[in-house]
Amino acid sequence: MDRETRLKRLHYRAHHRGTKEADLLIGGFFDTHGVGWSDDEMALFEALLEEQDVDIMAWAMGTQAAPAQYEGSILAALKTLNYVPVAR
């Protein structure tokens, strides 16, 4: 699959999680960081999307330790939470 198609697929999967909270957190994260990812980072994000939303959200908020396979730049960026849109 070419890079553009892969990014479109990831965009859809990141924004259609099943709950509004997960859509905002995971979708917002993808929108902020996804375009600059390498193929390896996209593969890691694809694997992350297979996890349960509650787990991903807990890892992002630091209330639960993430599995070692996700440690690295993507998880560090996920934990910043500066990509979640906040209504003012």
Side-chain angles (χ1 to χ4, degrees), residues 5-74:
T5 302
R6 194 172 178 193
L7 284 170
K8 285 179 183 178
R9 184 174 182 259
L10 286 174
H11 178 272
Y12 181 85
R13 292 185 64 207
H15 282 277
H16 295 89
R17 301 299 300 174
T19 65
K20 183 68 171 180
E21 294 84 359
D23 292 349
L24 290 173
L25 186 134
I26 299 167
F29 177 71
F30 175 80
D31 289 346
T32 301
H33 298 284
V35 174
W37 286 339
S38 67
D39 288 342
D40 289 341
E41 289 171 320
M42 281 195 288
L44 184 61
F45 188 68
E46 286 169 332
L48 183 73
L49 291 177
E50 296 300 322
E51 301 289 345
Q52 296 294 315
D53 292 345
V54 293
D55 293 332
I56 297 169
M57 294 173 76
W59 302 334
M61 293 183 276
T63 59
Q64 185 179 353
Q69 71 221 40
Y70 298 121
E71 291 296 335
S73 62
I74 288 194

Side-chain angles (χ1 to χ4, degrees), residues 71-85:
E71 291 296 335
S73 62
I74 288 194
L75 188 61
L78 185 67
K79 288 180 178 181
T80 65
L81 296 176
N82 62 353
Y83 49 83
V84 179

